[in-house]
Amino acid sequence: MSDAAQPTAAEVRAAAEAVKTALDRHLAAVERRSGEDDPAVYDAFNQLAAAAEAYDELLYDRYDEVTPFEIPDADDTLPPYTGPEEPSALSVLIRRDYAVAEPQRLVAQARRVEAADDQGAAAAASGTVHGALGLLFGEFEADEIASRHKEFGLEEGDSTLWVTAADEAADPGEWLEAPFEQVDPQRVVCRFDVSAVFDDGFDDGLDDEEDDVVDDADDEVGGGGVRALEEDLDPGLDEDLDTDEDTDEDLDPPGDGDGDGDLDEDGEPARLEADR
């Protein structure tokens, strides 16, 4: 980039101030949020992301420096919103991906549902993964399965929720044959994505930190756990334990001449004679 095209220091400073303002607005929206999916928080998030991206670009163009912030932008794949400003109807599109991690657990849960419904061998739908999925999703709401997925042998993947605007509600049964074919991306009011890719940067150091905690704990007790701690506190612990297990005879065998454990011919303890 030529010097003439570079942003001025004042432009970079203004972009930094915009980030600060966006941070304040985002925090205020979070503090006033009305629920988990408050659109005000979502809007403030997007404004903060845009301000941070603009500042990062200007900072790099002017000073060849970057910020440490990386905000995943889920809106890159969506065109600008062109729907009504005051929608009179909404459609909520939800996708949740699962991996069948434990097929046996899935089938076992489906068989419990069959047994409770007294269908028994007549239906026999629970014998396959395909049939078990049909039984479970027919018996439980999708939100309940999402909250209890591990019980059903499922492993969560990515998920997304799109709120799309409509001019009026659809007639009953109008779109049931092809419910997902007529989605207009330009009418998506907001979307919320959940993916492991957003957590990679955060989780990378967790395992190392956990290992460090374990190592530190071992170091604090001498590197060998509780037993090492006991040995550090009392180096003669093993010897004391061995001594406690000895019998009185081992401690003071008869006839050793020390008088403590010696017996006379009548079976009484022998006394030391003064003249000896």
Side-chain angles (χ1 to χ4, degrees), residues 2 14 68 125 148 188 202 216:
S2 64
R148 301 172 53 190
V188 175
F202 176 76
D216 291 343

Side-chain angles (χ1 to χ4, degrees), residues 166-186:
D167 296 320
E168 58 184 14
D171 294 333
E174 179 180 348
W175 48 259
L176 292 180
E177 291 185 1
F180 305 114
E181 289 186 357
Q182 297 180 352
V183 180
D184 185 355
Q186 291 186 305

Side-chain angles (χ1 to χ4, degrees), residues 201-214:
F202 176 76
D203 291 338
D204 284 344
L206 288 185
D207 293 338
D208 295 338
E209 291 176 3
E210 292 175 357
D211 293 340
D212 291 342
V213 171
V214 174

Side-chain angles (χ1 to χ4, degrees), residues 18-27 41-55 69 71:
V19 173
K20 297 175 186 178
T21 301
L23 274 171
D24 291 337
R25 289 175 179 171
H26 181 263
L27 178 58
V41 176
Y42 183 77
D43 290 341
F45 172 89
N46 285 336
Q47 292 175 11
L48 176 58
E53 183 177 2
Y55 170 64
F69 312 120
I71 303 176

